[in-house]
Amino acid sequence: MNIAQLVEMAERIHNDEGYDLGAASTRDERNAFWMRVVGCAQWGHPSYNPQPDPQWHVKDGGGGRPMSDDVVVSMPSRQAWDCIPGSGSDTYRFEADAIGVLPSNQHVYVPDKPAQDTPVFGALPPYPGDAAFDAIGITLWADYAEAGRVPDAQVGRWVGRTVYDYLAGMTLDASIAKHRAEWRTALGL
């Protein structure tokens, strides 16, 4: 997961789960939201991030102060970003503003593991149209032909895995690329 994908996931969690990080929110509420977001990146989540990415960490405010409510750190580089400029005001937005490399004395730590709940009804991405899913079949069939094999029972597995990751939050193109590498290996390509 890159920083842009993390910020997109943060906005999706914000919208799906009805968070308000504006002036009416408390630091504790913002910290809980940010711990959930970075936890979903680090530990994975069935709806928001099916592939855990252990590079993502949170940091405290320094000098024993609580967690920074919108800063994420990539380890081991210690590169940090402010991901919700204006957090705590009604003009907050989601974007990655690079802070730079944190000094070695800055406390950085693994976020809490998030609840592995399911999304609220309606949190699925919109149906992309039949042509998008036809792309799975076209790609899969071409790879079977390249391997000199006819489609077999595993076709359902590859389509299912690809659609599952799409529904869990990956883009369809990213899910096809991920699972195509798997099925090409299984086909000996």
PDB file of all heavy atoms in Angstrom, residues 1 26-27 44 56 70 84 94 125 128 131-133 135 138 142 144 163-164 172 177 184:
ATOM      1  N   MET A   1       0.855  -1.175   0.000  1.00  0.00           N
ATOM      2  CA  MET A   1       0.000   0.000   0.000  1.00  0.00           C
ATOM      3  C   MET A   1       0.897   1.234   0.000  1.00  0.00           C
ATOM      4  O   MET A   1       1.792   1.344   0.833  1.00  0.00           O
ATOM      5  CB  MET A   1      -0.885  -0.036   1.248  1.00  0.00           C
ATOM      6  CG  MET A   1      -1.685   1.228   1.478  1.00  0.00           C
ATOM      7  SD  MET A   1      -2.782   1.147   2.910  1.00  0.00           S
ATOM      8  CE  MET A   1      -4.099   0.162   2.250  1.00  0.00           C
ATOM      9  N   THR A  26     -13.442  15.483  19.261  1.00  0.00           N
ATOM     10  CA  THR A  26     -12.424  15.598  20.308  1.00  0.00           C
ATOM     11  C   THR A  26     -11.126  14.961  19.814  1.00  0.00           C
ATOM     12  O   THR A  26     -11.130  14.158  18.878  1.00  0.00           O
ATOM     13  CB  THR A  26     -12.861  14.877  21.596  1.00  0.00           C
ATOM     14  OG1 THR A  26     -12.928  13.471  21.336  1.00  0.00           O
ATOM     15  CG2 THR A  26     -14.211  15.384  22.088  1.00  0.00           C
ATOM     16  N   ARG A  27     -10.038  15.295  20.472  1.00  0.00           N
ATOM     17  CA  ARG A  27      -8.750  14.670  20.121  1.00  0.00           C
ATOM     18  C   ARG A  27      -8.843  13.159  20.297  1.00  0.00           C
ATOM     19  O   ARG A  27      -8.339  12.405  19.475  1.00  0.00           O
ATOM     20  CB  ARG A  27      -7.621  15.241  20.963  1.00  0.00           C
ATOM     21  CG  ARG A  27      -6.293  14.539  20.681  1.00  0.00           C
ATOM     22  CD  ARG A  27      -5.111  15.189  21.337  1.00  0.00           C
ATOM     23  NE  ARG A  27      -4.599  16.328  20.630  1.00  0.00           N
ATOM     24  CZ  ARG A  27      -3.890  16.286  19.499  1.00  0.00           C
ATOM     25  NH1 ARG A  27      -3.671  15.132  18.910  1.00  0.00           N
ATOM     26  NH2 ARG A  27      -3.420  17.370  18.947  1.00  0.00           N
ATOM     27  N   GLY A  44      -4.301  -5.185   8.208  1.00  0.00           N
ATOM     28  CA  GLY A  44      -5.265  -5.631   7.205  1.00  0.00           C
ATOM     29  C   GLY A  44      -6.675  -5.572   7.760  1.00  0.00           C
ATOM     30  O   GLY A  44      -6.894  -5.470   8.966  1.00  0.00           O
ATOM     31  N   TRP A  56       3.335   0.487   7.996  1.00  0.00           N
ATOM     32  CA  TRP A  56       2.622   1.664   8.493  1.00  0.00           C
ATOM     33  C   TRP A  56       2.529   1.680  10.013  1.00  0.00           C
ATOM     34  O   TRP A  56       2.101   0.721  10.632  1.00  0.00           O
ATOM     35  CB  TRP A  56       1.243   1.763   7.842  1.00  0.00           C
ATOM     36  CG  TRP A  56       1.372   1.900   6.358  1.00  0.00           C
ATOM     37  CD1 TRP A  56       1.032   0.982   5.407  1.00  0.00           C
ATOM     38  CD2 TRP A  56       1.940   3.013   5.656  1.00  0.00           C
ATOM     39  NE1 TRP A  56       1.336   1.453   4.159  1.00  0.00           N
ATOM     40  CE2 TRP A  56       1.906   2.693   4.274  1.00  0.00           C
ATOM     41  CE3 TRP A  56       2.476   4.227   6.052  1.00  0.00           C
ATOM     42  CZ2 TRP A  56       2.371   3.568   3.300  1.00  0.00           C
ATOM     43  CZ3 TRP A  56       2.943   5.092   5.076  1.00  0.00           C
ATOM     44  CH2 TRP A  56       2.882   4.764   3.715  1.00  0.00           C
ATOM     45  N   ASP A  70      -3.245  12.415  13.017  1.00  0.00           N
ATOM     46  CA  ASP A  70      -3.371  12.311  11.559  1.00  0.00           C
ATOM     47  C   ASP A  70      -2.026  12.114  10.867  1.00  0.00           C
ATOM     48  O   ASP A  70      -1.899  12.363   9.683  1.00  0.00           O
ATOM     49  CB  ASP A  70      -4.075  13.537  10.992  1.00  0.00           C
ATOM     50  CG  ASP A  70      -3.334  14.840  11.271  1.00  0.00           C
ATOM     51  OD1 ASP A  70      -2.335  14.831  12.008  1.00  0.00           O
ATOM     52  OD2 ASP A  70      -3.761  15.883  10.737  1.00  0.00           O
ATOM     53  N   ILE A  84      -4.394  14.327   7.195  1.00  0.00           N
ATOM     54  CA  ILE A  84      -5.683  15.017   7.284  1.00  0.00           C
ATOM     55  C   ILE A  84      -5.416  16.467   7.683  1.00  0.00           C
ATOM     56  O   ILE A  84      -5.652  16.877   8.810  1.00  0.00           O
ATOM     57  CB  ILE A  84      -6.638  14.335   8.300  1.00  0.00           C
ATOM     58  CG1 ILE A  84      -6.677  12.828   8.082  1.00  0.00           C
ATOM     59  CG2 ILE A  84      -8.047  14.937   8.185  1.00  0.00           C
ATOM     60  CD1 ILE A  84      -7.485  12.072   9.130  1.00  0.00           C
ATOM     61  N   PHE A  94      -8.588  15.177   3.143  1.00  0.00           N
ATOM     62  CA  PHE A  94      -7.729  14.000   3.084  1.00  0.00           C
ATOM     63  C   PHE A  94      -6.707  14.184   1.970  1.00  0.00           C
ATOM     64  O   PHE A  94      -7.066  14.246   0.789  1.00  0.00           O
ATOM     65  CB  PHE A  94      -8.568  12.739   2.848  1.00  0.00           C
ATOM     66  CG  PHE A  94      -9.441  12.407   4.017  1.00  0.00           C
ATOM     67  CD1 PHE A  94     -10.703  12.962   4.147  1.00  0.00           C
ATOM     68  CD2 PHE A  94      -8.986  11.555   5.009  1.00  0.00           C
ATOM     69  CE1 PHE A  94     -11.503  12.682   5.239  1.00  0.00           C
ATOM     70  CE2 PHE A  94      -9.777  11.259   6.111  1.00  0.00           C
ATOM     71  CZ  PHE A  94     -11.038  11.817   6.218  1.00  0.00           C
ATOM     72  N   PRO A 125     -18.319  -1.077  -3.338  1.00  0.00           N
ATOM     73  CA  PRO A 125     -18.129  -0.152  -4.451  1.00  0.00           C
ATOM     74  C   PRO A 125     -19.264  -0.299  -5.455  1.00  0.00           C
ATOM     75  O   PRO A 125     -19.919  -1.346  -5.499  1.00  0.00           O
ATOM     76  CB  PRO A 125     -16.787  -0.601  -5.044  1.00  0.00           C
ATOM     77  CG  PRO A 125     -16.598  -2.004  -4.597  1.00  0.00           C
ATOM     78  CD  PRO A 125     -17.327  -2.132  -3.281  1.00  0.00           C
ATOM     79  N   PRO A 128     -19.182  -1.919 -11.525  1.00  0.00           N
ATOM     80  CA  PRO A 128     -18.432  -1.235 -12.578  1.00  0.00           C
ATOM     81  C   PRO A 128     -18.919  -1.532 -13.985  1.00  0.00           C
ATOM     82  O   PRO A 128     -18.366  -1.006 -14.947  1.00  0.00           O
ATOM     83  CB  PRO A 128     -17.012  -1.783 -12.384  1.00  0.00           C
ATOM     84  CG  PRO A 128     -17.226  -3.157 -11.862  1.00  0.00           C
ATOM     85  CD  PRO A 128     -18.462  -3.067 -10.986  1.00  0.00           C
ATOM     86  N   ALA A 131     -18.480  -5.069 -18.629  1.00  0.00           N
ATOM     87  CA  ALA A 131     -17.210  -5.047 -19.363  1.00  0.00           C
ATOM     88  C   ALA A 131     -16.015  -5.149 -18.416  1.00  0.00           C
ATOM     89  O   ALA A 131     -15.012  -5.792 -18.741  1.00  0.00           O
ATOM     90  CB  ALA A 131     -17.109  -3.789 -20.218  1.00  0.00           C
ATOM     91  N   ALA A 132     -16.126  -4.538 -17.238  1.00  0.00           N
ATOM     92  CA  ALA A 132     -15.025  -4.603 -16.281  1.00  0.00           C
ATOM     93  C   ALA A 132     -14.781  -6.044 -15.841  1.00  0.00           C
ATOM     94  O   ALA A 132     -13.637  -6.504 -15.771  1.00  0.00           O
ATOM     95  CB  ALA A 132     -15.325  -3.718 -15.075  1.00  0.00           C
ATOM     96  N   PHE A 133     -15.857  -6.790 -15.558  1.00  0.00           N
ATOM     97  CA  PHE A 133     -15.697  -8.176 -15.129  1.00  0.00           C
ATOM     98  C   PHE A 133     -15.354  -9.091 -16.308  1.00  0.00           C
ATOM     99  O   PHE A 133     -14.685 -10.105 -16.127  1.00  0.00           O
ATOM    100  CB  PHE A 133     -16.930  -8.666 -14.379  1.00  0.00           C
ATOM    101  CG  PHE A 133     -17.044  -8.030 -13.028  1.00  0.00           C
ATOM    102  CD1 PHE A 133     -18.109  -7.205 -12.725  1.00  0.00           C
ATOM    103  CD2 PHE A 133     -16.080  -8.248 -12.054  1.00  0.00           C
ATOM    104  CE1 PHE A 133     -18.214  -6.611 -11.470  1.00  0.00           C
ATOM    105  CE2 PHE A 133     -16.171  -7.657 -10.804  1.00  0.00           C
ATOM    106  CZ  PHE A 133     -17.238  -6.834 -10.516  1.00  0.00           C
ATOM    107  N   ALA A 135     -13.232  -8.354 -18.368  1.00  0.00           N
ATOM    108  CA  ALA A 135     -11.772  -8.241 -18.441  1.00  0.00           C
ATOM    109  C   ALA A 135     -11.090  -9.362 -17.665  1.00  0.00           C
ATOM    110  O   ALA A 135     -10.021  -9.837 -18.059  1.00  0.00           O
ATOM    111  CB  ALA A 135     -11.314  -6.882 -17.914  1.00  0.00           C
ATOM    112  N   ILE A 138     -11.441 -12.481 -20.010  1.00  0.00           N
ATOM    113  CA  ILE A 138     -10.588 -12.358 -21.204  1.00  0.00           C
ATOM    114  C   ILE A 138      -9.132 -12.622 -20.838  1.00  0.00           C
ATOM    115  O   ILE A 138      -8.431 -13.381 -21.506  1.00  0.00           O
ATOM    116  CB  ILE A 138     -10.759 -10.957 -21.837  1.00  0.00           C
ATOM    117  CG1 ILE A 138     -12.162 -10.830 -22.449  1.00  0.00           C
ATOM    118  CG2 ILE A 138      -9.667 -10.675 -22.860  1.00  0.00           C
ATOM    119  CD1 ILE A 138     -12.556  -9.407 -22.799  1.00  0.00           C
ATOM    120  N   ALA A 142      -7.042 -16.047 -21.908  1.00  0.00           N
ATOM    121  CA  ALA A 142      -5.825 -15.882 -22.711  1.00  0.00           C
ATOM    122  C   ALA A 142      -4.637 -16.572 -22.055  1.00  0.00           C
ATOM    123  O   ALA A 142      -3.815 -17.199 -22.737  1.00  0.00           O
ATOM    124  CB  ALA A 142      -5.529 -14.389 -22.916  1.00  0.00           C
ATOM    125  N   TYR A 144      -4.810 -19.173 -19.982  1.00  0.00           N
ATOM    126  CA  TYR A 144      -5.019 -20.622 -20.122  1.00  0.00           C
ATOM    127  C   TYR A 144      -4.595 -21.062 -21.532  1.00  0.00           C
ATOM    128  O   TYR A 144      -3.931 -22.091 -21.695  1.00  0.00           O
ATOM    129  CB  TYR A 144      -6.481 -20.998 -19.868  1.00  0.00           C
ATOM    130  CG  TYR A 144      -6.752 -21.426 -18.443  1.00  0.00           C
ATOM    131  CD1 TYR A 144      -6.949 -20.497 -17.434  1.00  0.00           C
ATOM    132  CD2 TYR A 144      -6.800 -22.778 -18.103  1.00  0.00           C
ATOM    133  CE1 TYR A 144      -7.194 -20.890 -16.129  1.00  0.00           C
ATOM    134  CE2 TYR A 144      -7.045 -23.192 -16.805  1.00  0.00           C
ATOM    135  CZ  TYR A 144      -7.242 -22.241 -15.813  1.00  0.00           C
ATOM    136  OH  TYR A 144      -7.472 -22.646 -14.521  1.00  0.00           O
ATOM    137  N   VAL A 163     -12.668 -11.040  -7.748  1.00  0.00           N
ATOM    138  CA  VAL A 163     -13.861 -10.251  -7.402  1.00  0.00           C
ATOM    139  C   VAL A 163     -13.886  -9.965  -5.901  1.00  0.00           C
ATOM    140  O   VAL A 163     -14.217  -8.855  -5.477  1.00  0.00           O
ATOM    141  CB  VAL A 163     -15.147 -10.976  -7.865  1.00  0.00           C
ATOM    142  CG1 VAL A 163     -16.384 -10.279  -7.327  1.00  0.00           C
ATOM    143  CG2 VAL A 163     -15.190 -11.041  -9.385  1.00  0.00           C
ATOM    144  N   TYR A 164     -13.508 -10.939  -5.077  1.00  0.00           N
ATOM    145  CA  TYR A 164     -13.504 -10.731  -3.623  1.00  0.00           C
ATOM    146  C   TYR A 164     -12.610  -9.543  -3.248  1.00  0.00           C
ATOM    147  O   TYR A 164     -13.018  -8.670  -2.486  1.00  0.00           O
ATOM    148  CB  TYR A 164     -13.023 -11.996  -2.900  1.00  0.00           C
ATOM    149  CG  TYR A 164     -12.967 -11.819  -1.402  1.00  0.00           C
ATOM    150  CD1 TYR A 164     -14.085 -12.041  -0.615  1.00  0.00           C
ATOM    151  CD2 TYR A 164     -11.800 -11.392  -0.781  1.00  0.00           C
ATOM    152  CE1 TYR A 164     -14.050 -11.857   0.754  1.00  0.00           C
ATOM    153  CE2 TYR A 164     -11.756 -11.188   0.590  1.00  0.00           C
ATOM    154  CZ  TYR A 164     -12.876 -11.427   1.349  1.00  0.00           C
ATOM    155  OH  TYR A 164     -12.836 -11.222   2.704  1.00  0.00           O
ATOM    156  N   LEU A 172     -10.256  -2.818  -9.379  1.00  0.00           N
ATOM    157  CA  LEU A 172     -10.387  -4.037 -10.171  1.00  0.00           C
ATOM    158  C   LEU A 172      -9.086  -4.334 -10.912  1.00  0.00           C
ATOM    159  O   LEU A 172      -8.639  -5.483 -10.964  1.00  0.00           O
ATOM    160  CB  LEU A 172     -11.566  -3.942 -11.136  1.00  0.00           C
ATOM    161  CG  LEU A 172     -11.939  -5.233 -11.855  1.00  0.00           C
ATOM    162  CD1 LEU A 172     -12.219  -6.370 -10.873  1.00  0.00           C
ATOM    163  CD2 LEU A 172     -13.136  -5.008 -12.752  1.00  0.00           C
ATOM    164  N   ALA A 177      -4.322  -7.770 -11.516  1.00  0.00           N
ATOM    165  CA  ALA A 177      -2.859  -7.900 -11.564  1.00  0.00           C
ATOM    166  C   ALA A 177      -2.360  -8.827 -10.457  1.00  0.00           C
ATOM    167  O   ALA A 177      -1.501  -9.690 -10.697  1.00  0.00           O
ATOM    168  CB  ALA A 177      -2.201  -6.527 -11.447  1.00  0.00           C
ATOM    169  N   ARG A 184      -1.025 -17.337 -13.195  1.00  0.00           N
ATOM    170  CA  ARG A 184       0.024 -17.624 -14.174  1.00  0.00           C
ATOM    171  C   ARG A 184       1.055 -18.583 -13.585  1.00  0.00           C
ATOM    172  O   ARG A 184       1.539 -19.492 -14.264  1.00  0.00           O
ATOM    173  CB  ARG A 184       0.674 -16.346 -14.687  1.00  0.00           C
ATOM    174  CG  ARG A 184      -0.225 -15.596 -15.668  1.00  0.00           C
ATOM    175  CD  ARG A 184       0.437 -14.348 -16.228  1.00  0.00           C
ATOM    176  NE  ARG A 184       1.633 -14.638 -17.006  1.00  0.00           N
ATOM    177  CZ  ARG A 184       1.650 -14.983 -18.296  1.00  0.00           C
ATOM    178  NH1 ARG A 184       0.502 -15.129 -18.959  1.00  0.00           N
ATOM    179  NH2 ARG A 184       2.782 -15.202 -18.917  1.00  0.00           N
TER     180      ARG A 184
END
